[in-house]
Structure formats: structure tokens, C-alpha cells
Amino acid sequence: QVQLVESGGGSVQSGGSLRLSCVVSGYTYSTTYMGWFRQAPGKEREGVAAIDSSGSTTYAASVKGRFTISRDYAKSTLYLQMNSLKPEDTAMYYCAADRVNWLLLSNYNYWGQGTQVKVSA
């Protein structure tokens, strides 16, 4: 059974930083493709960042230069470092994993429960 557990969300002021974590268990971590997604109230889920097994990364235009996705194989953990946060970054953030490289598409097979990020002006 695959489990993805996110943490690290919270409330920050505009311009602040947060680091999200996603611990993966029950899966061959080193063979997965992983991504971070977010969903704001009344909006569709959108891809934020993705990383493949070689460490190659992809970012949505809205976060490029501010967010960094990374992974620690030893800890089976995916990270999302978020800097220069804006009110429009407010959303529930989810991590996702799959053996298929979906990049920023929402087709991933495995999802976490989400962690809330709120950015105030």
C-alpha cells in the first residue's frame, strides 16, 4: 500500500517562506516520478512542480524562480521550498507519485491528503 503524507503547511505573510515535505512509504521510491499540486477554493487542481528519477525538474510559470522541488532518497521524502510567497499561492497543497512521468498533469496514481498554505497580504 502506497502512502504519501504531507506536512509543513501553515500561515505566513506575503514575502515569507515555507517548506513542504512529503514522506513516501510502501513503494519503490527510487522508480517514481513525483509532483506537487495545489487547489484553491473554487478552482481546479493545478500542477506546481514535478521531478523525475534523475532529478530533472519542471515548474509552473506562476512559481518558477520562487519554488524549488527536491527529493531525499535516503529519507524517502519529497520537498517543496516556497519563497517569496504571494496571497495567490494560498491553497491546499498535495504531493503525488507514479511510475509514469505525468509532469504537471493530474494523472498521478497516488496522492497525499494535503497540507494547507495560507498567505496573507
Side-chain angles (χ1 to χ4, degrees):
Q1 180 128 6
V2 176
Q3 277 196 316
L4 304 177
V5 180
E6 303 100 331
S7 62
S11 295
V12 296
Q13 290 190 327
S14 183
S17 298
L18 283 173
R19 188 176 80 156
L20 306 183
S21 299
C22 172
V23 177
V24 183
S25 61
Y27 199 59
T28 308
Y29 179 74
S30 62
T31 65
T32 60
Y33 297 90
M34 299 196 73
W36 284 100
F37 291 76
R38 66 186 181 188
Q39 187 167 20
K43 294 188 177 181
E44 291 189 357
R45 185 175 295 184
E46 63 171 347
V48 173
I51 188 167
D52 70 15
S53 54
S54 70
S56 179
T57 57
T58 302
Y59 295 95
S62 59
V63 306
K64 200 167 188 177
R66 300 188 297 123
F67 290 11
T68 302
I69 187 172
S70 62
R71 64 200 303 175
D72 184 329
Y73 284 96
K75 296 182 178 179
S76 295
T77 302
L78 178 74
Y79 300 102
L80 184 68
Q81 178 67 44
M82 305 186 295
N83 298 328
S84 303
L85 282 162
K86 304 175 182 180
E88 51 263 44
D89 295 317
T90 295
M92 184 72 79
Y93 282 71
Y94 301 88
C95 67
D98 206 324
R99 289 183 177 270
V100 178
N101 190 4
W102 295 110
L103 295 175
L104 301 181
L105 298 176
S106 299
N107 300 64
Y108 288 77
N109 202 20
Y110 304 104
W111 293 83
Q113 82 290 347
T115 186
Q116 181 69 46
V117 171
K118 182 176 181 180
V119 184
S120 57

